[in-house]
Amino acid sequence: MCGRYASSRQPDELAEEFEIDELRLQEPLTESYNVAPTDQVYAVLERPPHQENATTERQLRSVRWGLVPSWAKDVKIGNRMINARMETVGEKPAYRRAFAKRRCLLPADGYFEWYATDAKDAKGKPRKQPYFITPKDGGVLAMAGLYELWPDPAKDEDDPSRWLWSCTVITTEAEDSLGRIHDRMPLMVERERWDQWLDPTRPGDVDLLTPAAPGRLEAYPVSTLVSNVRNNGHELIEPLPLEETW
């Protein structure tokens, strides 16, 4: 699964990278090296035109990580819906409507996974070593995602803050070189498929999603500081000397 990731790029960088038509942000998000569930994150998405002869608009928005279906009674359901499995994303009631027409890209510097080592803690459980997984070329990861809009029943219908925007990361089986760390990984959308994936008039198609090509990503151990959400700095993604790993 993907439970933490890093996102440090500024809106203008993402606007250029993803050819954004409009920034729909009240204010830029603070760079984060420890993005956690329920945090606000950047999402690239396209909204269908509201007027005849208008064109689809590609937007950069801030959304909550943890998808809240439109039919949910409580926003807390999103706390456990941070990932959607590629194998069932078009079938599960919580995701199938979003998969049909509300797909997005979630930009990331890289993501974290925890590897269970042979070392034991005081309770006899395996110590877990965090790894940071990132493109070797330093480029941005375009993680495949879905987004939803949830109407808060406690707010008036004409209240502009009534709608909560939320998202989930689509995952798949990890490719061989990463599978030793964790058996799941986020799905990537290759640049040449961004237009098709984001197009809200096009039905969802899992064939547009692919695991990162073998050799494109690198994984290296990092400090266990990342295990605490209160820690958030560039030091969390700095390689850890091998002698300091478990």
Side-chain angles (χ1 to χ4, degrees), residues 147-236:
Y147 73 94
E148 263 293 4
L149 285 80
W150 179 74
D152 187 341
K155 296 183 178 181
D156 295 335
E157 291 189 8
D158 59 353
D159 186 339
S161 67
R162 178 176 181 241
W163 293 94
L164 172 71
W165 293 65
S166 62
C167 70
T168 189
V169 176
I170 302 178
T171 66
T172 188
E173 292 184 3
E175 54 109 333
D176 290 347
S177 64
L178 301 176
R180 64 183 179 83
I181 299 173
H182 197 280
D183 61 351
R184 303 291 295 181
M185 67 179 294
L187 272 162
M188 314 301 168
V189 184
E190 299 296 340
R191 183 180 296 271
E192 63 270 17
R193 295 180 173 182
W194 289 354
D195 291 349
Q196 294 171 290
W197 175 248
L198 294 175
D199 186 352
T201 66
R202 179 190 177 100
D205 184 356
V206 292
D207 290 338
L208 296 175
L209 303 173
T210 57
R216 179 185 169 190
L217 302 179
E218 64 176 342
Y220 54 81
V222 293
S223 171
T224 55
L225 288 172
V226 71
S227 300
N228 188 327
V229 295
R230 290 193 292 270
N231 298 322
N232 197 330
H234 190 272
E235 67 275 9
L236 300 184

Side-chain angles (χ1 to χ4, degrees), residues 43-48 63 67 98 101-104 145-149 165-168 200:
V44 176
L45 54 91
E46 291 186 356
R47 297 293 289 165
V63 301
L67 187 137
K101 56 183 178 180
R102 284 186 287 276
R103 299 175 297 275
C104 64
L146 307 176
Y147 73 94
E148 263 293 4
L149 285 80
W165 293 65
S166 62
C167 70
T168 189

Side-chain angles (χ1 to χ4, degrees), residues 72-84:
K73 295 182 179 180
D74 192 315
V75 70
K76 293 180 181 178
I77 191 175
N79 298 356
R80 62 178 186 271
M81 299 181 68
I82 63 170
N83 293 158

